[in-house]
Amino acid sequence: LLTILNLKKLIKMKNLIILCLLLITSSLFSNEDVCLAGIPNAIGNGIADDTAAIQAVFDGVTTGIPVGNEVYRITSELLSDVAGDQTIDLNGAELIVVTNQINNLILVNKPSGKLTLNNLTINGNFKLDEAINVDSVMDSNNLTIINIQSPINAGNAIGLRIEINNNPRQFGTYNFNNTVIDYVEALSNATAIGGADGAARAVILRWNYNQSNTIINFNGGTFTNIWGVDGDCVQIDDNQQTAVN
């Protein structure tokens, strides 16, 4: 009888210890600033400002791959301007704009080399004019851009802007594999096609280049819900009248 009573006490004590450990663990991870991400100094909960941590990844200062499905709140433009080839894999994470309107989320402007951007969703949350301004050679795999909206009297709304000029950093082959762009709207809503304000585009390509060693490929993906009187999925400005297919 004594042995049975002692055994019951031990079981109760064990359960009490387990309960205490669970409460301690819960309190440790209830704070909204607990790091959910594999990127140093990033939180990844969509609330904390992760702009500096993500910029450090583009700068090559820090490395790391998100665990998956993190949401990084971005409050200003991210710049890709480090020389040399660079691959950034966000592993299905999302960059989101939450409060203030941002003109452009990512500017790709490398002096040399190629940026490869993989497994990323950009959610403009109706507070972003342009998602990515591509001003040097770039590849992407599994890129999704959603909810791009420019406010009234604020110009165009664009998913991808690609600039090809007579600049060596722009020469090369661009591959956009499985690109999804959904919902692009310019609230200025131009009254005519070609108007100064209100153009909405999934992709705009400005081609001011007369050489033959630059190729842009879109392989797979969809462009949907491009809104406005001046709204089109793709616009190509071929100022050199060269062969653009």
Side-chain angles (χ1 to χ4, degrees), residues 162-180:
I162 307 170
E163 301 280 349
I164 306 296
N165 299 299
N166 285 311
N167 192 318
R169 72 168 183 268
Q170 299 169 339
F171 299 169
T173 300
Y174 300 64
N175 293 292
F176 298 92
N177 300 315
N178 191 28
T179 304
V180 174

Side-chain angles (χ1 to χ4, degrees), residues 179-238:
T179 304
V180 174
I181 301 177
D182 182 51
Y183 203 97
V184 180
E185 181 181 22
L187 290 183
S188 293
N189 199 11
T191 57
I193 293 176
D197 287 328
R201 303 284 186 270
V203 176
I204 183 168
L205 168 60
R206 298 192 183 279
W207 190 279
N208 185 23
Y209 174 64
N210 55 15
Q211 302 300 316
S212 60
N213 60 341
T214 292
I215 300 172
I216 299 175
N217 298 311
F218 279 89
N219 305 306
T222 57
F223 303 154
T224 53
N225 293 312
I226 315 302
W227 298 104
V229 173
D230 191 358
D232 283 304
C233 287
V234 179
Q235 175 183 335
I236 299 176
D237 292 339
D238 183 7

Side-chain angles (χ1 to χ4, degrees), residues 15-36:
N15 291 338
L16 181 61
I17 292 172
I18 292 173
L19 178 60
C20 289
L21 289 173
L22 289 173
L23 290 173
I24 292 171
T25 302
S26 176
S27 66
L28 286 173
F29 287 93
S30 63
N31 190 306
E32 69 177 21
D33 286 341
V34 170
C35 182
L36 305 173

Side-chain angles (χ1 to χ4, degrees), residues 7 10 39 44 57 68 75 80 122 132 159 172 175 178 190 202 212 216 244:
L7 181 60
L10 287 173
I39 295 176
V57 174
T75 57
S80 172
I122 294 175
I132 305 180
N175 293 292
N178 191 28
S212 60
I216 299 175
V244 178

